[in-house]
Amino acid sequence: MQVAVLASGSKGNATFIELDGKKLLIDAGISARRIRQELEGIGQRVEELDGVFITHEHGDHISGLVTLTKKYGVQVYSRPETFRAMSCYRELPIECINPIIDRVRLDRVTVRAFDIPHDAANPVGYVVQGSSRCVVATDMGFVDSSLQEMLEGARVMVLETNHDVEMLKNGSYPYSLKKRILGARGHLSNRDAALAVAGLRQRPRKLLLAHLSESNNRPELARETVQAVFSQQGINDVELYLTDQNQCTCVQL
């Protein structure tokens, strides 16, 4: 399995997963040109994508979608409500649109959508399951027991560590935006993400910290916070990786 976070943050998100011969993209929130360039940098080709799975309709998750479908004919999968809420929905070729509710099977790989709490039409995370298991879960306000169950057993996990609570509270954002981010349909903090992983029965071998805020977080702070929680819990078997808005982070199993 190869997992490459091509970009992650408020300006654009895209994650590539290769598993059992299938090549998938979770979100397409950067330009199709950059997606192609980042894929070529890890020895992959955009023409070989078996599908793009969209988590929700916000611009930082769909901005490259129209070009991907029109130029390369890439198949797109998402919840029906998400498709209808996309600003670019009418520009997508109808033959590339694949509404899903729960899961889709691509040969030996199953991609399952699961509900996440976020301020979008019908947002989801994804479990990619074959001979191994990868979970991508970002843009969520909290982790409840049902969401915790979806995180179980991932060998590689891409998980949101959006903000440090104190940096956000003391930062320059207006109160309404702080309230949104801290709310039940907002974004996950460094500490809450760490606690979610610490509470798993089967923790990932590799954990990629994703969707870091440029204003309310720092990469070293995200890593230190997660490591501190793990240390308190006696956890020393999870490898941490920081993702970035401007460069690819790639891991393999």
Side-chain angles (χ1 to χ4, degrees):
M1 176 166 58
Q2 181 182 39
V3 179
V5 178
L6 309 184
S8 185
S10 59
K11 295 177 182 176
N13 299 271
T15 297
F16 171 79
I17 301 170
E18 181 180 23
L19 177 62
D20 296 345
K22 291 301 174 183
K23 301 181 180 185
L24 313 174
L25 202 63
I26 308 296
D27 287 328
I30 54 178
S31 70
R33 179 180 181 182
R34 186 174 166 206
I35 289 172
R36 177 178 56 80
Q37 291 173 337
E38 297 289 358
L39 287 176
E40 288 175 352
I42 57 171
Q44 303 290 346
R45 300 178 67 244
V46 67
E47 292 88 351
E48 295 177 353
L49 287 173
D50 293 292
V52 180
F53 291 79
I54 301 299
T55 60
H56 63 291
E57 71 276 8
H58 292 168
D60 58 326
H61 295 261
I62 65 168
S63 62
L65 198 54
V66 172
T67 302
L68 278 181
T69 54
K70 287 187 173 181
K71 185 172 182 178
Y72 301 106
V74 178
Q75 296 297 301
V76 185
Y77 301 83
S78 196
R79 290 271 176 85
E81 297 87 348
T82 297
F83 275 120
R84 291 195 292 268
M86 289 180 184
S87 58
C88 62
Y89 179 51
R90 295 185 182 277
E91 299 178 65
L92 300 176
I94 192 169
E95 64 272 17
C96 294
I97 296 174
N98 299 272
I100 61 171
I101 301 300
D102 181 39
R103 68 192 73 196
V104 61
R105 189 167 181 85
L106 304 172
D107 295 334
R108 294 179 295 162
V109 174
T110 299
V111 183
R112 178 178 180 180
F114 58 89
D115 294 332
I116 59 172
H118 192 53
D119 53 356
N122 196 351
V124 298
Y126 287 105
V127 175
V128 181
Q129 178 79 54
S131 60
S132 193
R133 181 180 176 98
C134 176
V135 174
V136 178
T138 65
D139 296 76
M140 52 192 180
F142 65 97
V143 177
D144 60 12
S145 58
S146 61
L147 183 49
Q148 190 94 358
E149 193 64 30
M150 292 296 99
L151 302 181
E152 284 285 353
R155 302 291 279 169
V156 177
M157 184 183 299
V158 180
L159 184 65
E160 177 173 56
T161 50
N162 175 257
H163 61 274
D164 174 81
V165 172
E166 292 306 312
M167 280 190 69
L168 175 61
K169 287 181 176 179
N170 296 318
S172 61
Y173 279 12
Y175 173 75
S176 59
L177 183 53
K178 292 179 182 180
K179 185 177 179 181
R180 169 187 172 261
I181 294 170
L182 291 168
R185 301 179 70 210
H187 290 275
L188 203 63
S189 72
N190 297 335
R191 179 170 173 79
D192 285 347
L195 289 171
V197 175
L200 295 174
R201 298 183 301 273
Q202 293 180 288
R203 289 182 292 272
R205 282 183 55 189
K206 298 178 185 290
L207 175 63
L208 290 87
L209 309 183
H211 214 299
L212 275 69
S213 169
E214 292 181 315
S215 301
N216 304 304
N217 211 348
R218 298 191 308 274
E220 64 274 15
L221 179 57
R223 182 191 291 274
E224 288 169 4
T225 302
V226 173
Q227 285 180 329
V229 170
F230 286 180
S231 179
Q232 292 166 3
Q233 301 284 338
I235 298 168
N236 56 16
D237 57 351
V238 179
E239 298 177 28
L240 296 182
Y241 298 83
L242 288 163
T243 67
D244 191 271
Q245 184 70 82
N246 301 307
Q247 63 183 13
C248 176
T249 303
C250 186
V251 301
Q252 289 185 307
L253 280 180

